[in-house]
Amino acid sequence: MTRGEDMYVVIVGCGRVGSALALGLIEEGHKVAVVDEDEDALLRLGEHFPGDFVHGVGIDIKALQRVHTENADAFVAATDGDNTNLVAAQLAKERFGVKCVVTRVYDPHRAKFFKEQMGIRTICPTADTINLLATAVRTCEVNP
């Protein structure tokens, strides 16, 4: 899959991050399916969301089968739970054979472990925030 080609993306978690990602990918012309355990999360996608939405838990095999994870070009786990994200990511990679799997992990140590040991791309907002704050502090101008 290269940039510019349509992708089929499965997203687990439809909070602020998952829903914004889904809508952005749809706007770019990609096909998107979203899984969330909160049925009301569908409201974040809007009334006319053209993708699929499955009410279910992201680590439930049947929920992942309902969105045809086996056909996904990319899989994103973006719930607010590290454990759920890591298990969903492992399922996508190992059971469904998805080549591009990305997960959000808040714990920097676990994010590093999964990236290095499991080959799963991790996004760690905690580590990213620490680095941004450190850079902001280092570049502050302090008046004498």
Side-chain angles (χ1 to χ4, degrees):
M1 186 62 43
T2 59
R3 187 179 173 101
E5 295 181 37
D6 291 345
M7 293 190 294
Y8 176 55
V9 182
V10 172
I11 299 171
V12 171
C14 191
R16 286 184 292 249
V17 171
S19 61
L21 177 62
L23 293 170
L25 290 170
I26 289 284
E27 193 172 303
E28 292 175 6
H30 303 291
K31 295 178 182 174
V32 175
V34 178
V35 177
D36 198 288
E37 61 188 21
D38 179 4
E39 202 164 18
D40 290 338
L42 179 59
L43 298 173
R44 291 187 187 97
L45 297 172
E47 191 175 323
H48 303 291
F49 179 67
D52 293 324
F53 180 88
V54 168
H55 175 226
V57 179
I59 58 174
D60 177 14
I61 298 293
K62 290 181 181 175
L64 296 175
Q65 288 173 331
R66 286 175 54 203
V67 293
H68 303 285
T69 302
E70 69 277 6
N71 295 331
D73 298 302
F75 181 93
V76 177
T79 74
D80 61 356
D82 283 1
N83 291 336
T84 298
N85 290 341
L86 291 169
V87 172
Q90 284 182 291
L91 287 171
K93 183 177 179 183
E94 302 298 328
R95 181 161 179 144
F96 292 97
V98 180
K99 300 288 185 217
C100 179
V101 176
V102 183
T103 185
R104 174 174 63 185
V105 180
Y106 288 106
D107 181 338
H109 300 292
R110 294 172 82 193
K112 182 179 177 187
F113 176 82
F114 270 80
K115 180 179 179 183
E116 292 176 357
Q117 301 300 317
M118 304 295 291
I120 294 174
R121 294 176 70 181
T122 58
I123 303 296
C124 182
T126 306
D128 292 344
T129 302
I130 291 167
N131 290 334
L132 289 169
L133 290 171
T135 298
V137 167
R138 289 181 191 115
T139 59
C140 279
E141 291 186 28
V142 180
N143 293 330

